[in-house]
Amino acid sequence: WSGRGDATDAAGLRGTRGGPGLIPLDGSNAKTVVAKPLTNTPTVDGECNDPSTEYDGSDTGSNANMTFLIGAKNAFVYVCVSLTADTTDGGTNDWAHLLFDRDHSDDASPQVGDRLFNRTSGGGSGTFTAKKGDGSGWVDCGTSCSPDNTGYGMFNTTLGYEVYEFKISFYDVWTPLGN
């Protein structure tokens, strides 16, 4: 957990099967990501540019393995991650995490205010889960996370790679409360 704050990580035994993630860190450095105001409200469907204006106003970035779009609208952060290095369709065995260290404590294990959002691929067959830290690991969020959070993942056959899209409440991104 330590050192993985605010990250979408394309690693693990499943998913993109290894490779570095894009890790927006705290502070004003080259890895800072700003959730800029979006012109439109994205539809969380794994089609991040359909229509082509869906993420107008977003911050963008990339590395050798992925590209991302991130923006804010109506008290939510919208994130689209295109895993350009994952060119095989693993169905629900592929997945993406978003992790938030809300109080920026950089603790060695997930704390109560920390959040993890996971979406498996597979389109409508995939699942979205929300977890919070408990001081030693991850547990289900229950009512501690917004019920309006969601995610979608799919292998985009037109583009030839995995795409994940998330809608996460401001409360679950920035509020450093102990719940």
Side-chain angles (χ1 to χ4, degrees), residues 7-62:
T8 297
D9 189 7
L13 299 176
R14 304 181 292 148
T16 58
R17 295 166 286 287
L22 185 66
I23 302 175
L25 303 173
D26 307 326
S28 30
N29 61 47
K31 293 187 178 182
T32 297
V33 176
V34 178
K36 297 177 180 177
L38 295 170
T39 305
N40 303 302
T41 303
T43 301
V44 181
D45 59 2
E47 296 283 344
C48 300
N49 282 312
D50 186 17
S52 62
T53 59
E54 187 173 21
Y55 276 85
D56 277 1
S58 68
D59 198 359
T60 62
S62 65

Side-chain angles (χ1 to χ4, degrees), residues 13-175:
L13 299 176
R14 304 181 292 148
T16 58
R17 295 166 286 287
L22 185 66
I23 302 175
L25 303 173
D26 307 326
S28 30
N29 61 47
K31 293 187 178 182
T32 297
V33 176
V34 178
K36 297 177 180 177
L38 295 170
T39 305
N40 303 302
T41 303
T43 301
V44 181
D45 59 2
E47 296 283 344
C48 300
N49 282 312
D50 186 17
S52 62
T53 59
E54 187 173 21
Y55 276 85
D56 277 1
S58 68
D59 198 359
T60 62
S62 65
N63 66 23
N65 299 303
M66 64 178 62
T67 61
F68 75 89
L69 304 165
I70 185 168
K73 184 78 171 179
N74 301 327
F76 288 92
V77 171
Y78 290 86
V79 180
C80 177
V81 181
S82 297
L83 299 175
T84 55
D86 188 354
T87 58
T88 59
D89 185 357
T92 57
N93 289 320
D94 281 336
W95 53 272
H97 283 326
L98 284 182
L99 298 134
F100 297 100
D101 181 5
R102 297 191 307 162
D103 66 359
H104 308 289
S105 63
D106 299 325
D107 290 307
S109 60
Q111 300 303 300
V112 174
D114 298 335
R115 298 290 187 259
L116 179 151
F117 301 98
N118 177 279
R119 171 59 200 209
T120 61
S121 187
S125 301
T127 58
F128 175 79
T129 55
K131 300 203 178 256
K132 66 179 181 177
D134 70 357
S136 62
W138 296 106
V139 297
D140 287 334
C141 250
T143 58
S144 296
C145 291
S146 171
D148 297 318
N149 295 331
T150 191
Y152 194 88
M154 66 177 217
F155 187 82
N156 187 310
T157 55
T158 303
L159 301 173
Y161 50 76
E162 290 286 340
V163 177
Y164 295 91
E165 198 168 10
F166 294 89
K167 172 188 170 187
I168 308 296
S169 168
F170 284 178
Y171 173 83
D172 291 310
V173 176
W174 289 297
T175 305

